Amino acid sequence: MSATILDEPLTSTNDEFGDLFDQYVADESLPSPDWLTQLKLDKPRRNIHCISESTRRWKRLLDIVSAGSLLVLLAPVMFLVAIAVRVTSRGPVIFRQTRVGLNLRQKKKDRRGSDSGIEPPEGQERRNSANHRRRDGGFGKPFTVYKFRTMKIDAEKDGPQFATKGDTRVTSIGRFLRKTRLDELPQLWNVLRGEMAFVGPRPERPEFIDGLTREIPNYINRLGLKPGLTGLAQIINGYDNDIESFKRKVNLDLLYLQNCCLLNDIKIMIRTIRVVLTGSGAI
């Protein structure tokens, strides 16, 4: 079994979505998640609405119990981290950033057609999909994500950019927080509020998502589930900062979408503990 191919290929009568799995073939650079429970589906899942209501309810209950319990148990740790961030660098303790969340919009065919040869009435501009108002926020629901600050306050004075290995913008305590994933703990509040799930695809920044959607076929389909604090891509692929790693992330997120169930969520949460303890995949 490979990281990107199910034991039994899924089939769908919907050609537009049916070739989704043909876009991504086995990637030998990825470890094989043999431990992942494989679901036998009649057709590929598009989004969270394709998951049974009972599974969605159990998944939400797991989110509430897990996030609530960890917020209480780890409160002393979070307090110490907050002090460490405050005394080691200038700036706020909590870093707030806009991310793109769940996307339930489905692509529709443009019946107007760009080659129809029909000109708009005189004095009226032809509407362009690149700047049409319906495109605003069209990649998913934006929300504010919370993290302990790990970078200097002027880290993006030259504009948004991905973190890199040995990034000089990262503070001294920030490197430790990133390696141990302690910087992600405030997102337990996002989970409790229902903006995120405990397990799911990582939310992306709106500044990057447009370019990634153009570069990677079907990238937007990974947002068919509520974004997660951890997930299959996070524990296998780690941080991503180039196109190839983003492709692997999409690969694994789509695999999780097709096998999303309570049992797999528990398995992923358990394996996340090992990732946190070893600092695997950190930048």
Side-chain angles (χ1 to χ4, degrees):
M1 142 61 198
S2 86
T4 57
I5 296 181
L6 304 180
D7 290 339
E8 294 183 7
L10 297 172
T11 58
S12 172
T13 56
N14 190 322
D15 292 337
E16 183 179 356
F17 195 75
D19 63 351
L20 177 62
F21 300 97
D22 295 334
Q23 301 278 348
Y24 295 94
V25 294
D27 187 339
E28 298 299 332
S29 66
L30 288 175
S32 175
D34 297 319
W35 47 268
L36 193 73
T37 298
Q38 301 290 307
L39 303 182
K40 305 303 180 182
L41 305 175
D42 294 329
K43 59 182 180 179
R45 286 171 170 171
R46 284 179 175 270
N47 53 46
I48 195 171
H49 287 167
C50 299
I51 299 174
S52 68
E53 185 177 354
S54 61
T55 297
R56 298 200 301 268
R57 287 180 176 178
W58 279 110
K59 185 175 172 66
R60 179 56 184 154
L61 179 61
L62 180 64
D63 289 344
I64 294 173
V65 172
S66 301
S69 300
L70 287 175
L71 278 172
V72 173
L73 293 174
L74 297 177
V77 176
M78 296 176 70
F79 178 70
L80 292 175
V81 170
I83 293 177
V85 172
R86 172 65 71 184
V87 301
T88 56
S89 62
R90 185 168 54 91
V93 171
I94 298 296
F95 178 67
R96 297 170 175 82
Q97 191 176 72
T98 300
R99 296 290 180 98
V100 175
L102 182 65
N103 175 38
L104 296 178
R105 299 188 182 191
Q106 295 184 12
K107 185 178 178 181
K108 296 181 179 180
K109 293 181 179 180
D110 190 351
R111 292 177 296 178
R112 290 171 297 178
S114 58
D115 298 324
S116 61
I118 302 177
E119 294 296 326
E122 186 176 353
Q124 180 179 335
E125 290 186 8
R126 181 188 297 275
R127 289 185 291 181
N128 190 313
S129 60
N131 57 22
H132 193 274
R133 63 180 177 83
R134 287 184 297 181
R135 188 176 174 84
D136 295 342
F139 292 116
K141 184 178 180 180
F143 69 100
T144 300
V145 73
Y146 302 96
K147 302 176 68 175
F148 283 118
R149 183 175 55 80
T150 60
M151 289 190 173
K152 301 171 184 177
I153 57 175
D154 60 349
E156 294 196 332
K157 60 183 179 180
D158 297 324
Q161 52 188 295
F162 294 120
T164 58
K165 190 173 182 178
D167 202 318
T168 57
R169 299 173 300 157
V170 179
T171 64
S172 55
I173 190 65
R175 296 193 187 284
F176 173 75
L177 297 181
R178 282 172 169 258
K179 185 175 182 179
T180 57
R181 305 312 203 273
L182 289 174
D183 62 317
E184 309 282 2
L185 289 181
Q187 289 170 48
L188 290 169
W189 179 241
N190 289 112
V191 175
L192 207 57
R193 289 176 50 151
E195 296 165 330
M196 294 176 62
F198 208 101
V199 179
R202 285 298 293 169
E204 191 53 77
R205 298 180 61 179
E207 295 90 345
F208 301 140
I209 199 167
D210 187 37
L212 290 170
T213 301
R214 290 195 300 266
E215 290 280 346
I216 306 173
N218 298 307
Y219 178 88
I220 199 67
N221 288 297
R222 64 181 290 274
L223 299 179
L225 286 177
K226 191 180 296 185
L229 181 60
T230 186
L232 188 62
Q234 291 89 296
I235 63 176
I236 292 180
N237 195 47
Y239 280 104
D240 35 63
N241 56 5
D242 57 47
I243 290 298
E244 291 306 313
S245 62
F246 273 107
K247 287 181 178 179
R248 290 194 296 270
K249 179 169 73 172
V250 171
N251 223 347
L252 292 166
D253 285 338
L254 295 178
L255 179 62
Y256 171 71
L257 171 60
Q258 304 312 310
N259 295 283
C260 177
C261 65
L262 193 64
L263 178 59
N264 279 332
D265 277 14
I266 294 173
K267 288 182 177 181
I268 290 172
M269 290 168 70
I270 292 174
R271 287 175 179 268
T272 299
I273 297 174
R274 181 184 63 81
V275 172
V276 170
L277 294 177
T278 61
S280 174
I283 291 182

